[in-house]
Amino acid sequence: ASVAVSALSKQEHDQLSCAYAALLLHDDGLAVTSEKLDKVIKASGNEVESYWPGMFAKALEGQDIGKLLTNIASAGPVGGAAPAQAAAAPAEGKKEEKPKEEVVEADIDMGGMFGDED
């Protein structure tokens, strides 16, 4: 699903700007610091509340960003296989009941970085 940038709240815009700036710095092999995040954000023509770059830099400090991205990418869609399995089921009169597998979502603690207080 896509959302127009103009439809984002100020907080969502600021978080997205910081996330893109952090990814850009990581992609270039540079350290993700508050100063560098701020510089990239300003160079992109965006403005964020002054505390966001520092929060992102602190949250990502000592983290392997490549590993974080790999963990998110490998999680895949949750529950997306069920409809495909149902469509691929044979049209025989005799069905064999299989126990349903429980899908567990990965819970990654981002330290309240996105307003998700625990």
Side-chain angles (χ1 to χ4, degrees), residues 16 20-21 30 36 48 58 66 73 77-78 90 92 99 109 113 118:
L16 187 63
Y20 283 155
L30 301 171
K36 288 180 182 176
V48 300
K58 184 169 176 101
V78 177
E92 298 175 14
D109 181 15
M113 185 167 62
D118 287 85

Side-chain angles (χ1 to χ4, degrees), residues 1-9 12 16:
S2 63
V3 176
V5 174
S6 61
L8 296 175
S9 69
E12 292 169 329
L16 187 63

Side-chain angles (χ1 to χ4, degrees), residues 15-33 36-37 40-41 56-57 60 65 69:
Q15 291 172 352
L16 187 63
S17 295
C18 287
Y20 283 155
L23 289 172
L24 192 106
L25 290 170
H26 169 72
D27 192 45
D28 284 344
L30 301 171
V32 179
T33 65
K36 288 180 182 176
L37 286 170
V40 170
I41 291 165
F56 267 76
L60 294 172
I65 297 173
L69 292 171

Side-chain angles (χ1 to χ4, degrees), residues 43-110:
S44 71
N46 288 287
E47 290 183 17
V48 300
E49 294 292 336
S50 61
Y51 58 85
W52 281 116
M55 286 178 64
F56 267 76
K58 184 169 176 101
L60 294 172
E61 185 178 346
Q63 298 291 322
D64 182 350
I65 297 173
K67 187 174 179 181
L68 288 173
L69 292 171
T70 303
N71 287 341
I72 292 170
S74 66
V78 177
Q85 289 175 348
E92 298 175 14
K94 184 178 177 183
K95 279 189 183 178
E96 182 176 321
E97 290 281 329
K98 293 184 181 180
K100 293 184 180 180
E101 292 181 21
E102 183 175 308
V103 177
V104 179
E105 293 183 20
D107 187 18
I108 300 173
D109 181 15
M110 296 302 283

